[in-house]
Amino acid sequence: ATSETPSFHFYDVNSKATFTPTDRDVVAISLYAGEDDLDESSLLGLGSQEQAADTLDLTDVTAWGNRGASARWSRRWNSRVTTDLLASTSLYFSDSRTNADAGFVSRGFQEENEVRDVTVRLHNSLFLRRGWELGFGAQHTDHRISYERIEQEGDSIVGSLDLGGEGALTSGYLDVDGTLFGRLRLTIGTRVSAYEPTGETYTEPRASLRLELTDRIALKGAWGRFYQFVKRVENEDILQGSRDFWVLTDDELRPASSEQVVAGVAYETPSFLVDVEAYDRQLGGVSQFSVRSREETDQDLSTAFFSGTGTARGVEILAQKKTGRLTGWVSYALSEVVHDVEGFNDGQPFPASHDQRHEFKVVGSYRVNDWTLSSSFIYGSGSPYTIPESQYPLQLLDGTTLNYVQVGEKNGQRLPSYQRLDLSASRRFETRKWFIDVNASVFNALGSKNVWYLSL
């Protein structure tokens, strides 16, 4: 294994303008743009010092980012009825290029992924008697997604995948929120969605409650069923590290789903909060893309999708100081995410690639006159990964060659722990009509060398 320090830079631009044309209307326009560029290219030696001419020229470049814009109009018709109309559009893109050139052989892939959507949503709130509120509305989203992947060996294409599609999602929803018996706050609702690519209707009921045992102690609980129609698919590239991409679900690649139960208890005063929650999620429509064996002739990669189920469970603890010059919070999470996907791990469940058993965070902020000094520290136990043990060619009966990669247990090993300290300082300059915030940040102030993935 080798240790590489990548070249990385990013930018974010965020702006918002708010207008109040009347005392009952608010209009807000928001714009966002951001991009990350990562270059992990390297030149690796393949032999001893006497064989220094034998090198592997590895090109590994990725760029991804987001664009977004929204316009919102809010109107208070009277003391009991409000309306909120939102129109938005967004774009997510990811472009990757990888090539390994050892002189006598060259292999790599190119990958492009775009997710576009245009959404219109109308929400209404009706305030009823005795503190009850009725919320109802509708939403329509047009999705447009493209995904292209080309695998090359030398000048030949040995695998390709072209996934693209358009689809509309139209939803209506209704929820009721209010207090019973003075101490029990209850929310019940449902969302019904018609999804064009599958021609099916999906119902997502949900409910939550909060019982105030005393003025400071409360019990909480929630249950809900949810669907995701733009799906994240993990791409298991065991020789270059795991990546992921986004596709539009359909009859073959089914929408992701989850059924979630949450229970917790909170202790809160005007200055402090201690909150403990436990959750259990049953996952459906878990998808994996994997090419562990590769033919040296043109290969249809559409057969490399695998589906399954999963479970996520855990406990989260939060302690927060809410007032004073010094504010902040400390949190700890103990969790487990397990997937059960056909064709992997001899039919046995395995840790998901984003499974992280322990995570500890500390966030603090201190105000000094017009300055705000902030810091955050995070520690996380290592994520799982799969070891590629060996690779060898197999001669098939039809004369073609299959490059087979022998791997260890699916996600059977763990990366080293992750830790990072970030520091920042900000100051606000303002007059009666405008204000400007100036920020300066230092990321990974301790210079921790966190491992993203391991490869041979």
Side-chain angles (χ1 to χ4, degrees), residues 153-172:
E153 185 164 325
D155 296 327
S156 300
I157 296 177
V158 296
S160 62
L161 183 63
D162 189 351
L163 298 176
E166 301 179 7
L169 177 67
T170 303
S171 306

Side-chain angles (χ1 to χ4, degrees), residues 184-443:
L184 176 62
R185 187 162 191 91
L186 181 66
T187 302
I188 301 176
T190 188
R191 175 185 292 265
V192 179
S193 302
Y195 184 52
E196 182 183 12
T198 62
E200 298 179 10
T201 300
Y202 300 83
T203 302
E204 299 172 282
R206 60 200 69 182
S208 66
L209 58 86
R210 180 183 176 92
L211 176 61
E212 303 285 348
L213 297 179
T214 69
D215 292 339
R216 295 187 175 185
I217 301 175
L219 300 179
K220 305 181 295 178
W223 169 84
R225 184 185 305 135
F226 308 90
Y227 291 92
Q228 185 179 23
F229 302 97
V230 177
K231 176 184 285 189
R232 171 188 172 272
V233 177
E234 181 186 341
N235 176 14
E236 185 206 46
D237 189 335
I238 51 180
L239 297 181
Q240 296 295 333
S242 294
R243 304 173 185 267
D244 54 53
F245 56 89
W246 296 86
V247 296
L248 193 64
T249 56
D250 53 25
D251 289 326
E252 295 183 1
L253 195 62
R254 301 296 295 175
S257 63
S258 68
E259 187 166 342
Q260 174 174 299
V261 178
V262 180
V265 59
Y267 175 84
E268 186 170 12
T269 70
S271 300
F272 296 94
L273 168 67
V274 178
D275 188 279
V276 180
E277 286 188 354
Y279 63 89
D280 181 274
R281 299 188 188 103
Q282 298 302 312
L283 310 175
V286 174
S287 295
Q288 178 88 57
F289 178 83
S290 178
V291 183
R292 294 192 177 189
S293 58
R294 310 180 181 205
E295 294 187 27
E296 293 187 352
T297 57
D298 192 16
Q299 182 179 2
D300 180 11
L301 297 180
S302 63
T303 61
F305 286 92
F306 303 86
S307 299
T309 59
T311 300
R313 57 173 62 94
V315 177
E316 298 178 351
I317 303 172
L318 171 72
Q320 182 182 13
K321 184 177 183 296
K322 302 185 293 182
T323 60
R325 287 183 176 271
L326 176 64
T327 58
W329 49 268
V330 179
S331 70
Y332 169 73
L334 172 66
S335 63
E336 179 185 49
V337 186
V338 177
H339 286 172
D340 188 353
V341 179
E342 59 178 352
F344 285 85
N345 214 41
D346 296 326
Q348 299 300 313
F350 56 87
S353 295
H354 60 282
D355 174 56
Q356 190 172 54
R357 194 58 44 85
H358 305 281
E359 185 178 72
F360 177 73
K361 293 181 180 179
V362 181
V363 176
S365 179
Y366 186 74
R367 296 198 308 271
V368 182
N369 298 324
D370 295 331
W371 288 89
T372 299
L373 307 178
S374 303
S375 65
S376 64
F377 174 79
I378 180 172
Y379 168 87
S381 55
S383 301
Y385 71 100
T386 304
I387 292 181
E389 295 178 337
S390 62
Q391 179 176 341
Y392 52 87
L394 294 176
Q395 190 76 27
L396 304 182
L397 295 178
D398 60 1
T400 60
T401 300
L402 188 72
N403 286 330
Y404 182 77
V405 179
Q406 176 68 38
V407 300
E409 182 180 352
K410 172 65 176 176
N411 285 345
Q413 302 294 323
R414 293 271 176 174
L415 296 175
S417 62
Y418 177 95
Q419 48 192 313
R420 191 181 82 236
L421 173 66
D422 299 335
L423 304 174
S424 67
S426 65
R427 179 174 178 176
R428 170 166 291 190
F429 300 88
E430 60 182 319
T431 67
R432 294 181 179 180
K433 296 183 178 181
W434 55 266
F435 68 88
I436 298 176
D437 286 327
V438 178
N439 300 276
S441 301
V442 177
F443 295 97

